């Protein structure tokens, strides 16, 4: 197996375990067993648990951006429809069997107070989402304030859906987004 294949195997196992059980709850031995690698190989690729956490969050960020971008692009050329596609993407995500909320919010809640690197990764991810929303809002001609409002709505929907286990939160968020968008572009 190539080093890249083993690295991906470890990250896939870590991603699944951390998302399901939490970051602190998963030890290196459990991760090693789930990934099917030796501790020596694991530590050779990731000298510290923090290195794995950072790599998992980078992987999650890339998956989020790719999935969100595809959903928005598939929505077509209408600026309003593209903005609302964000909430369709959330609904699809919330309906997955393994949905447990935003991995970044989870990481921040668990590690952000004691791990400045994780806190910075999470802040960067959230800023990237706000910038993406700002770009979508700019295409409507609405005030940049709308981007902040729609971002907060999406973030709140993620937390609420995770706690309530109700994917309909995304539908409610989309309805609220429609009201905000229509008021902003009127």
């Amino acid at each position: 197996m190539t080093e890249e294949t083993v690295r991906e195997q470890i990250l896939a196992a870590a991603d699944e375990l951390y998302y399901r059980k939490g970051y602190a709850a998963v030890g290196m031995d459990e991760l090693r067993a789930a990934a099917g690698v030796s501790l020596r190989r694991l530590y050779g690729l990731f000298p510290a648990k923090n290195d794995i956490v950072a790599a998992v969050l980078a992987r999650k960020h890339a998956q989020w951006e790719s999935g969100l971008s595809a959903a928005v692009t598939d929505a077509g050329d209408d600026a309003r429809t593209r903005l609302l596609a964000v909430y369709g993407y959330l609904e699809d995500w919330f309906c997955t069997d393994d949905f447990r909320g935003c991995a970044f919010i989870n990481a921040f809640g668990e590690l952000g107070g004691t791990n400045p690197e994780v806190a910075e990764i999470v802040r960067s991810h959230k800023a990237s989402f706000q910038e993406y929303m700002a770009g979508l809002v700019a295409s409507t001609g609405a005030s940049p304030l709308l981007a902040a409002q729609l971002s907060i709505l999406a973030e709140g929907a993620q937390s609420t859906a995770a706690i309530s286990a109700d994917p309909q939160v995304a539908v409610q968020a989309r309805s609220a987004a429609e009201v905000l968008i229509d008021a902003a572009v009127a």
Side-chain angles (χ1 to χ4, degrees), residues 10-176:
I10 292 167
L11 290 178
D15 187 356
E16 190 276 328
L17 286 169
Y18 293 160
Y19 191 60
R20 183 167 44 89
K21 297 176 80 174
Y23 295 88
V26 177
M28 295 300 266
D29 196 51
E30 181 179 8
L31 176 55
R32 175 212 55 79
V37 299
S38 68
L39 275 175
R40 183 176 182 172
R41 189 81 187 259
L42 178 63
Y43 281 114
L45 291 169
F46 299 98
K49 185 173 180 178
N50 202 49
D51 297 326
I52 299 171
V53 171
V56 164
L57 291 174
R59 184 177 189 261
K60 280 280 197 204
H61 177 73
Q63 290 169 345
W64 166 260
E65 285 195 332
S66 174
L68 182 61
S69 178
V72 169
T73 299
D74 290 348
D77 293 329
D78 179 67
R80 182 180 187 276
T81 303
R82 290 169 61 88
L83 270 170
L84 294 174
V86 170
Y87 301 92
Y89 179 71
L90 293 177
E91 182 180 10
D92 290 344
W93 177 34
F94 297 171
C95 287
T96 61
D97 289 337
D98 67 344
F99 175 72
R100 287 182 175 67
C102 173
F104 294 90
I105 293 170
N106 297 347
F108 189 83
E110 192 173 340
L111 304 172
T114 59
N115 188 321
E117 182 182 1
V118 168
E120 183 51 39
I121 290 168
V122 172
R123 286 184 185 108
S124 177
H125 170 76
K126 296 303 181 180
S128 173
F129 176 62
Q130 291 220 353
E131 289 170 23
Y132 184 74
M133 292 299 282
L136 293 175
V137 165
S139 67
T140 70
S143 162
L145 179 60
L146 178 62
Q149 294 168 336
L150 294 176
S151 296
I152 290 168
L153 188 57
E155 296 292 351
Q158 291 172 55
S159 296
T160 302
I163 293 166
S164 69
D166 182 4
Q168 287 301 301
V169 169
V171 175
Q172 296 160 358
R174 179 191 163 101
S175 294

